[in-house]
Amino acid sequence: MTGTARTVAEAARHSTPHTPARPTTERPSARFDPQVLRARWLQVASEDPATVARARAEGVDFTLAAGRVWETDEHVYLPLVATHLRGDSVERDLLTFALSPDHVATAQPTRHYPIFDKAIARMRRTPRLTLSSYGIMYALVYALNEAAERVIHHASDLLEEMSDEIEEATLGYDRRGREIGVTDMQGTIARMNRAEEIVSSTQESQLSLARAARHLRSEIADTDPVLAGLVETLVADIDGVKEHASFEHDKVRYLQQAIMTSLDVKQNQIVKVFTIITAVFLPPTLITSFYGMNFTHMPELEWTLGFPWIVLVTLVAAVIPLAYIKRRGWLR
């Protein structure tokens, strides 16, 4: 200890000679204790009969929830939908929380659920969260919300990767100047539909997270103002991710509509071309059908200029509808 620090310590000791030392009741909050966390948080693997039986022995029966919010004398059962990334794929899991003032239990797909690693890291940084089941519940919902936000960013990145293809589809031509048809856009449309599914799943996840956060807020009430403030911030964050998901969903719908409109325009142009061709060649076809009939007397066959005259009439019959179509602007 330096001289200055020793002086300050001695001055503090002599200035309060009769003040007893304060009990170290807050010491557990100064460091992260895994034993405390395990005592308050019970992780139940849904497919593991042993952990399910252990939970029932402690009064936690997840079958009571049956996919809905359910309250008993001791627990509040909250079903959640977790949407998260595993590599480049998006997965969706069904979880159930059982919350009581003494502990929180989670029914999850596996004993080690990777999403909750971030919750544990949060509790390591803020050890006081492990002192109550409500603090642990806050950290778990926080981790689920962060996982959902990463999914939304992943969907946004997918749309950005398709931006060039979407622009080409809107313009109707690729980089080589070739017209784009429905077959050319099947892959883009399939990936866009996948992005819409991802965003829709995230929206459902955020609804369940918001419901769980509101229940947590009501359970805390005024017992812990600091934790209540954290939960209020968490509710706002969940709503923010939900709004982001709604924005991305609207964006997907707009891009889908733009692509389908562009393809519809291309289809209409194709139909218009065939219609113009039919209109131009219908009169000449009608004339040639007359001379395909087996009549006994056809005076034009004996004319010296019969063939050139018929050819001229046929050309005129083709040019007249073409000129009319051009005048009406149907060739544009």
Side-chain angles (χ1 to χ4, degrees), residues 47-58:
E47 303 299 330
D48 185 4
T51 56
V52 173
R54 177 189 169 193
R56 288 182 177 175
E58 297 187 12

Side-chain angles (χ1 to χ4, degrees), residues 161-217:
E161 291 175 0
M162 292 184 289
S163 60
D164 292 339
E165 299 177 14
I166 295 171
E167 182 179 0
E168 291 176 357
T170 304
L171 297 176
Y173 296 91
D174 59 14
R175 298 177 180 177
R176 295 173 295 178
R178 185 174 60 89
E179 291 191 13
I180 297 177
V182 178
T183 305
D184 300 321
M185 292 305 301
Q186 285 181 346
T188 302
I189 294 174
R191 291 195 300 274
M192 192 171 297
N193 291 338
R194 175 57 179 161
E196 183 181 11
E197 292 177 2
I198 292 173
V199 174
S200 298
S201 297
T202 307
Q203 287 179 312
E204 181 183 1
S205 174
Q206 293 309 106
L207 290 175
S208 63
L209 287 179
R211 180 179 58 190
R214 288 193 297 269
H215 275 276
L216 177 60
R217 180 173 56 187

Side-chain angles (χ1 to χ4, degrees), residues 37 48 80 82 115-116 124 129 150 164 174 180 199 232 241 285 303 328:
L37 178 61
D48 185 4
L80 296 176
I115 296 179
F116 290 154
R124 287 182 182 277
L129 295 176
R150 288 194 294 271
D164 292 339
D174 59 14
I180 297 177
V199 174
E232 286 291 342
V241 175
T285 302
W303 295 355
R328 297 286 295 182

Side-chain angles (χ1 to χ4, degrees), residues 5-227:
R6 186 180 300 107
T7 302
V8 173
E10 292 176 353
R13 185 169 57 254
H14 291 299
S15 62
T16 56
H18 302 292
T19 301
R22 295 177 59 188
T24 58
T25 56
E26 298 181 358
R27 178 162 297 182
S29 63
R31 58 184 293 273
F32 177 78
D33 189 351
Q35 297 295 334
V36 174
L37 178 61
R38 281 194 289 267
R40 295 190 180 275
W41 178 23
L42 175 61
Q43 301 182 64
V44 179
S46 302
E47 303 299 330
D48 185 4
T51 56
V52 173
R54 177 189 169 193
R56 288 182 177 175
E58 297 187 12
V60 179
D61 187 0
F62 289 106
T63 59
L64 296 175
R68 67 188 188 279
V69 177
W70 190 257
E71 296 188 21
T72 64
D73 294 339
E74 296 181 357
H75 297 90
V76 177
Y77 293 91
L78 301 168
L80 296 176
V81 179
T83 305
H84 60 97
L85 286 173
R86 186 185 294 273
D88 292 331
S89 62
V90 178
E91 296 187 357
R92 182 174 176 270
D93 298 324
L94 298 178
L95 309 177
T96 304
F97 283 53
L99 179 64
S100 73
D102 298 325
H103 62 269
V104 59
T106 55
Q108 53 201 51
T110 58
R111 180 68 174 80
H112 173 246
Y113 196 52
I115 296 179
F116 290 154
D117 290 344
K118 186 158 189 174
I120 296 174
R122 180 66 184 261
M123 287 184 280
R124 287 182 182 277
R125 294 195 307 273
T126 312
R128 72 179 303 273
L129 295 176
T130 63
L131 300 181
S132 70
S133 60
Y134 302 134
I136 297 173
M137 177 78 174
Y138 159 78
L140 298 177
V141 176
Y142 170 86
L144 292 174
N145 184 60
E146 291 291 312
E149 185 176 15
R150 288 194 294 271
V151 171
I152 286 298
H153 286 298
H154 174 70
S156 180
D157 292 340
L158 290 179
L159 294 177
E160 289 297 329
E161 291 175 0
M162 292 184 289
S163 60
D164 292 339
E165 299 177 14
I166 295 171
E167 182 179 0
E168 291 176 357
T170 304
L171 297 176
Y173 296 91
D174 59 14
R175 298 177 180 177
R176 295 173 295 178
R178 185 174 60 89
E179 291 191 13
I180 297 177
V182 178
T183 305
D184 300 321
M185 292 305 301
Q186 285 181 346
T188 302
I189 294 174
R191 291 195 300 274
M192 192 171 297
N193 291 338
R194 175 57 179 161
E196 183 181 11
E197 292 177 2
I198 292 173
V199 174
S200 298
S201 297
T202 307
Q203 287 179 312
E204 181 183 1
S205 174
Q206 293 309 106
L207 290 175
S208 63
L209 287 179
R211 180 179 58 190
R214 288 193 297 269
H215 275 276
L216 177 60
R217 180 173 56 187
S218 65
E219 291 290 327
I220 295 173
D222 298 329
T223 59
D224 191 341
V226 175
L227 183 57

Side-chain angles (χ1 to χ4, degrees), residues 227-244:
L227 183 57
L230 293 176
V231 174
E232 286 291 342
T233 303
L234 176 60
V235 171
D237 290 342
I238 292 173
D239 290 338
V241 175
K242 184 169 64 175
E243 291 177 2
H244 188 187

Side-chain angles (χ1 to χ4, degrees), residues 311-327:
V311 171
L312 179 62
V313 171
T314 303
L315 290 176
V316 171
V319 169
I320 289 176
L322 183 61
Y324 176 79
I325 291 171
K326 185 175 181 181
R327 183 177 179 181

